[in-house]
């Protein structure tokens, strides 16, 4: 993905887009600063990383991640000979929206996970609105649903 140019975004709400009239060979653009500001205004953690996500590519990609909730730290004990070992994992993101540098996103909710190839991502209040190759028409995700687990009655 490329950074915005002087022409800027098609609108203030755009985070991912492709230049108007451009075909699929033209890289998508990402306004990371706009996404950071959106996260900051809502108390959502924002991280960047470079890693391999095998669901999307075997090559490392830069990733921006909006983390809404974290999983508790886990540990596991095991015996090896006469010694007992404990392996602890660090706190990891539990619900998040992650964007890689190819414009693919991973959304991890409380009970589902989706990897989508998005053509456009805009912000509308507390919601992400995206157009993805997997869907006909735009889809809306209310980010507030990623902060607290869904309560079943």
């Amino acid at each position: 993905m490329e950074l915005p140019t002087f022409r800027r975004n098609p609108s203030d709400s755009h985070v991912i887009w492709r230049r108007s009239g451009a075909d699929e060979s033209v890289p998508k653009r990402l306004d990371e600063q706009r996404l950071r500001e959106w996260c900051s205004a809502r108390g959502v953690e924002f991280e960047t990383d470079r890693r391999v996500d095998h669901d999307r590519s075997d090559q490392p990609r830069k990733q921006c991640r909006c983390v809404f909730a974290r999983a508790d730290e886990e540990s596991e004990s095991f015996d090896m000979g006469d010694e007992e070992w404990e392996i602890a994992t660090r706190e990891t993101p539990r619900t998040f929206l992650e964007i890689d540098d190819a414009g693919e996103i991973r959304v991890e909710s409380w009970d589902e996970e989706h990897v989508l190839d998005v053509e456009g991502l805009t912000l509308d209040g507390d919601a992400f609105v995206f157009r993805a190759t997997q869907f006909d028409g735009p889809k809306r995700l209310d980010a507030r649903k990623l902060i607290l687990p869904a309560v079943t009655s």
Side-chain angles (χ1 to χ4, degrees), residues 125-136:
D126 290 328
F128 294 102
V129 180
F130 55 91
R131 288 178 287 111
T133 58
Q134 294 92 329
F135 301 116
D136 292 330

Side-chain angles (χ1 to χ4, degrees), residues 3-146:
L3 297 173
T5 60
F6 359 31
R7 286 198 252 174
R8 297 291 305 153
N9 312 20
S11 75
D12 286 343
S13 64
H14 277 78
V15 175
I16 297 175
W17 71 97
R18 203 180 297 272
R19 194 177 71 233
S20 179
D23 64 20
E24 291 182 15
S25 66
V26 174
K28 299 169 192 172
R29 304 216 180 255
L30 169 67
D31 189 342
E32 183 179 322
Q33 185 59 37
R34 173 79 174 113
L35 188 57
R36 282 180 184 274
E37 291 168 0
W38 183 90
C39 287
S40 178
R42 286 156 181 79
V44 174
E45 292 179 54
F46 184 85
E47 307 175 333
T48 57
D49 199 358
R50 183 167 184 81
R51 68 180 183 87
V52 174
D53 181 338
H54 294 288
D55 288 337
R56 292 182 274 188
S57 173
D58 290 334
Q59 299 299 315
R61 292 183 176 178
K62 179 183 177 193
Q63 299 176 346
C64 298
R65 189 177 307 114
C66 305
V67 179
F68 299 94
R70 293 204 171 262
D72 293 332
E73 292 182 25
E74 296 179 12
S75 64
E76 186 175 323
S77 298
F78 62 94
D79 293 325
M80 192 171 201
D82 293 339
E83 295 184 43
E84 183 175 321
W85 293 77
E86 185 169 338
I87 298 176
T89 60
R90 64 182 183 155
E91 193 177 58
T92 59
R94 174 62 184 90
T95 62
F96 57 87
L97 180 129
E98 183 177 77
I99 303 169
D100 72 17
D101 61 8
E104 294 181 5
I105 65 172
R106 173 188 298 274
V107 178
E108 177 80 33
S109 70
W110 292 102
D111 52 3
E112 295 181 52
E113 178 182 2
H114 299 280
V115 175
L116 305 169
D117 183 8
V118 296
E119 285 300 313
L121 176 69
T122 57
L123 303 171
D124 182 15
D126 290 328
F128 294 102
V129 180
F130 55 91
R131 288 178 287 111
T133 58
Q134 294 92 329
F135 301 116
D136 292 330
K139 297 294 178 187
R140 182 180 187 85
L141 172 63
D142 185 345
R144 293 174 295 188
K145 292 180 180 179
L146 300 174

